[in-house]
Amino acid sequence: MELLTARGRSVWERMKASFWYEALKKKLPILVWLPRYSVKWLQMDLIAGMTVGLTVVPQALAYAEVAGLPVQYGLYSSFIGCFIYCLLGTSKDVTLGPTAIMSLLCASYIGHDPVQAVLLAFLCGLIQLVMAIMHLGFLLDFISYPVIKGFTSSAALTIGFGQVKNILGLHDIPQQFFLQFYYTFRNIYETRVGDLILGLTSIALLVVLKVMKDSLAPTDEDTAVVVKVCRMVVWFFATARNAFVVVAAALVAYACELSGTKVFTITGKTTQGLPPFKPPQFYEDTGNESLPFSEMVKDLGGGLAVIPLMGLLESLAIAKAFASQNEYRIDYNQELLAIGVTNLLGSFFSAYPVTGSFGRTAVNSQTGVCTPAGGIVTGVIVLLSLAFLMPLFYYIPKAALAAVIICAVAPMFDYKVVKTLWKVKKLDLLPFLLTFFMCFWEVQYGIVAGIVLSGFMLLYKVARPKLEVSDHGVLVIVLDSGLNFPSAEYLSDTLYRQALLVSHPRSVILDCRHVSSIDYTLVNEIQDLLQQFRLNKVSLIFSGLRIAILEVLLAADLKGLEHTESVEEALQSLSEHHVVQEHDQSLC
């Protein structure tokens, strides 16, 4: 007996341990793939991680410029996500770090202030973490595809044109798009020839290398070794083209500096070494006065709503796209947790808000990454750059960084979407165009305006459900959606106009087989309609009611409620009722 009891306890302990381990695996996805990790995976992850590392370093420097911050802040924001996502992420492909869109959004709120940028990362991470804990990811579903496309297309033009000043070597150009456009052309005569030539050459080189990579044909077993080696060399330089162009431009600028000729506008002094681990500042001493936490939050304003949501949206869209492409599944809530923790902890390393990067994720996927461990290699490369290469970044020309940004954001401008929306549904062009043009004024206004218009269009459909009316001697009205309070007056008005306010009131059959929901406002309206139909000595019959809807109507104890299984049964019932009425009248 004791032996059986001991065995029972042992089985129970194993079951309990298994349950906790399975729960832990959901929160730490690394426990899913780490036990199966192989040498083959390690090889592929090393290659992918190094390739992404060579891409992220020049992009991080460039995106810090977009955010209006010193270039080292781009690198500060690029490594913590690599390590956190390895532990918490559910996509093997996604890489977290600074992106063009997030940098543009941050620039709208932080006013070139690193202290505000770091605090923004902390608060964004906190908000995203709360959303993950409360499973609020569904809120992102209210941002429609036309709004997203309008925002990204507008952002591509805003970011791209914002770098024209660096290509031309112009200074003191305002950040606001329309002022930037005006002052760029107003001061165009101040163009520095060296910057212009270097910028255009860098863009041309980046485009050529991308075309070369896209046109590489796959090799087979019979391909000569020399051809394979040449293909690998072309593929490597084409994949790491950003790093290649930036390093080449920096060497040219360094040579010019040594010869005593200052031809280019260079990045200038950068802070060397790793960022210190410290909490973000919850106050700021500006010299003349000290800004308390409440004032700093007030200055960030709408950014505390826009940036966390757009960061989550961008990252989840990328994770979903590559999960579908590579045939695996992601956990949306776990992705929210990963990006929230990344931003929260990143603020302790002087990072500004980050999200998933489409370009670097594509490189990661195409290079054959097998697990999120590839991010560790990328993170180490960024840390090594911070520790040893920062003095070299002094000589990087701003025109070269501008070329990297322009080539990175160019694919984001999707002009084909206008044609697609016109073909599929013309009405969806309204939120697209409103978001697109409003974002040139202020990004947050454009996004909010697009969401509000999309919400209004959605609510209009709820308030005006489609009603198909047909005449079978009696009116048969087919409802094609749920019945909720915004549609109560519209349904009532339709029944009055079609059946009661005519010279000879008519009976109505409401075909409800498509109705999946109903609320109290509608139940109350139905009660009034039943009374009016009785007063006019005609019938209102409900057909095809689902069990859940029928239970609600029966629970309301509606006087005179009639319901049938089908429209045919309702027509037969009305026909029999009509025969009975005629018989009664003949007797009278």
Side-chain angles (χ1 to χ4, degrees), residues 364-417:
N364 211 21
S365 178
Q366 291 164 9
T367 317
V369 72
C370 295
T371 70
I376 296 176
V377 182
T378 302
V380 169
I381 290 175
V382 174
L383 289 173
L384 290 174
S385 299
L386 278 166
F388 302 109
L389 300 181
M390 288 306 289
L392 301 179
F393 296 156
Y394 177 94
Y395 296 101
I396 295 176
K398 288 192 174 184
L401 293 179
V404 169
I405 294 170
I406 290 170
C407 291
V409 301
M412 288 166 47
F413 181 70
D414 188 2
Y415 63 90
K416 294 180 181 177
V417 73

Side-chain angles (χ1 to χ4, degrees), residues 29-39 41 371:
I30 188 174
L31 298 176
V32 176
W33 54 263
L34 190 59
R36 299 182 286 117
Y37 205 74
S38 64
V39 175
W41 285 7
T371 70

Side-chain angles (χ1 to χ4, degrees), residues 23 25-29 84-85 87-91 96 125 127-141 312 315-317 319-320 329-342:
K25 281 201 297 186
K26 288 184 178 180
K27 296 302 177 186
L28 285 175
I84 296 296
Y85 196 82
L87 293 172
L88 302 177
T90 58
S91 168
L96 298 181
I127 292 167
Q128 290 164 338
L129 204 55
V130 169
M131 289 181 68
I133 294 169
M134 298 181 68
H135 295 261
L136 296 178
F138 72 91
L139 292 175
L140 301 174
D141 296 336
L312 292 175
S315 192
L316 289 177
K320 183 179 179 181
R329 294 187 64 81
I330 59 168
D331 183 336
Y332 282 1
N333 203 61
Q334 189 64 27
E335 291 295 306
L336 293 184
L337 182 67
I339 191 170
V341 172
T342 296

Side-chain angles (χ1 to χ4, degrees), residues 3 24 69 113 173 187 192 226 257 326 336 360 581:
L3 182 62
L24 188 61
L69 296 170
D113 186 354
I173 303 295
N187 300 341
R192 292 168 60 99
V226 176
E257 290 284 326
N326 296 323
L336 293 184
R360 296 192 294 275
Q581 280 186 328

Side-chain angles (χ1 to χ4, degrees), residues 160-171 173-175 180 184:
F161 189 81
Q163 296 308 307
V164 171
K165 64 179 183 292
N166 290 326
I167 295 287
L168 300 177
L170 302 179
H171 301 282
I173 303 295
Q175 284 289 109
Q180 196 173 79
T184 297

